[in-house]
Amino acid sequence: MDTPACATLRTRFDGDIAYLQIHRPQANNTINEQLIREFTAALDVCDTRCKIVVIEGLPEVFCFGADFKELEQSSEGGESRQQDPRPMYALWGRLATGPFVSIAHVRGKANAGGIGFVAACDIVLADAAAVFSLSELLFGLMPACVLPFLIRRIGFAKANYMTLMTQPVTVQQAQEWGLVDAYEENSDNLLRKNLLRLRRLNKTGVARYKRYLHAIDGSIDAAEDAAITANREVFADSQNLQRIARYVRTGQFPWEGDS
């Protein structure tokens, strides 16, 4: 199967199953514009040829959210080039509504925008060491684009709690809340067991089912404009950008004093 060459994404195909691995080990598996472009191009292939799409990360970190170094570099010299959040939102929307079964296979840490990938998927499988967090408010930001997908999966109250507390949630708690469907010590084995069952489905049936689900649940489309506006507002705030730049340079969180 022909797919574009990728620098941030590793792709593997097994018949009509696609494995898309976020692979930015040098950047803690964070999200940058290139990853969004390459992921979107990979889904273009999956739309027509794949019945199942498995999203994976690295063993220690699934995805850690926005690439703060890229954000800091874009605002150097006092001239901030505001990034467009709409392609990222559209990418998660495709995982939620596309004509395939989307599976998030989470090992290690899923934080901030990483939760967007998780919550957008139809099925979430994890290993016993997986943790889930929304850290945005620590920097004066908010998970604006994540929340429509997260609320759709776990409800308003739990999504609000995760946002306000900013602390990691264990895989056990995540399963109780409905963010994770199943977890095992050996998540590779868990994934294999799920794929054995899902292989029995046919792509036409899956595509029709996903279209129907999207038709009766318009929450993702309804929230898009508000999510994009809120995202742009917090990432245009000069104080927030200063907090991000300080964290990139020193590793200190906003509440920590200067050394």
Side-chain angles (χ1 to χ4, degrees), residues 18-199:
Y19 297 84
L20 308 181
Q21 182 192 26
I22 301 171
H23 192 263
R24 301 191 69 223
Q26 77 289 351
N28 207 26
N29 252 25
T30 50
I31 303 168
N32 66 353
E33 292 182 341
Q34 185 174 7
L35 173 65
I36 295 168
R37 289 194 303 270
E38 292 179 352
F39 214 117
T40 299
L43 289 187
D44 289 341
V45 176
C46 295
D47 276 349
T48 56
R49 302 188 185 183
C50 295
K51 178 171 61 183
I52 302 166
V53 177
V54 180
I55 313 303
E56 298 183 300
L58 300 171
E60 299 301 323
V61 57
F62 173 75
C63 175
F64 209 67
D67 186 340
F68 275 7
K69 287 187 177 179
E70 183 178 78
L71 290 170
E72 196 269 341
Q73 290 169 359
S74 71
S75 62
E76 282 182 348
E79 295 184 5
S80 175
R81 181 181 64 83
Q82 190 169 353
Q83 296 177 319
D84 183 5
R86 202 172 291 275
M88 181 177 64
Y89 194 93
L91 170 59
W92 294 340
R94 291 180 68 176
L95 292 175
T97 67
F100 42 70
V101 179
S102 54
I103 302 175
H105 177 205
V106 184
R107 297 168 296 169
K109 300 174 183 177
N111 177 63
I115 300 295
F117 280 102
V118 173
C121 285
D122 298 311
I123 296 173
V124 179
L125 308 176
D127 68 13
V131 292
F132 305 83
S133 56
L134 294 173
S135 60
E136 286 89 341
L137 274 180
L138 296 174
F139 294 88
L141 309 172
M142 70 173 87
C145 291
V146 174
L147 281 172
F149 299 91
L150 186 60
I151 290 170
R152 179 174 176 259
R153 189 164 183 98
I154 69 174
F156 183 91
K158 293 294 187 293
N160 183 48
Y161 183 80
M162 282 187 70
T163 302
L164 292 174
M165 294 305 297
T166 70
Q167 63 187 7
V169 172
T170 66
V171 70
Q172 294 86 355
Q173 187 69 72
Q175 185 185 41
E176 289 180 17
W177 289 356
L179 180 57
V180 170
D181 294 300
Y183 72 92
E184 287 184 5
E185 193 72 33
N186 184 352
S187 59
D188 288 328
N189 185 55
L190 177 63
L191 177 62
R192 282 193 295 270
K193 290 188 293 186
N194 278 262
L195 290 177
L196 282 174
R197 186 72 184 183
L198 291 168
R199 282 181 185 272

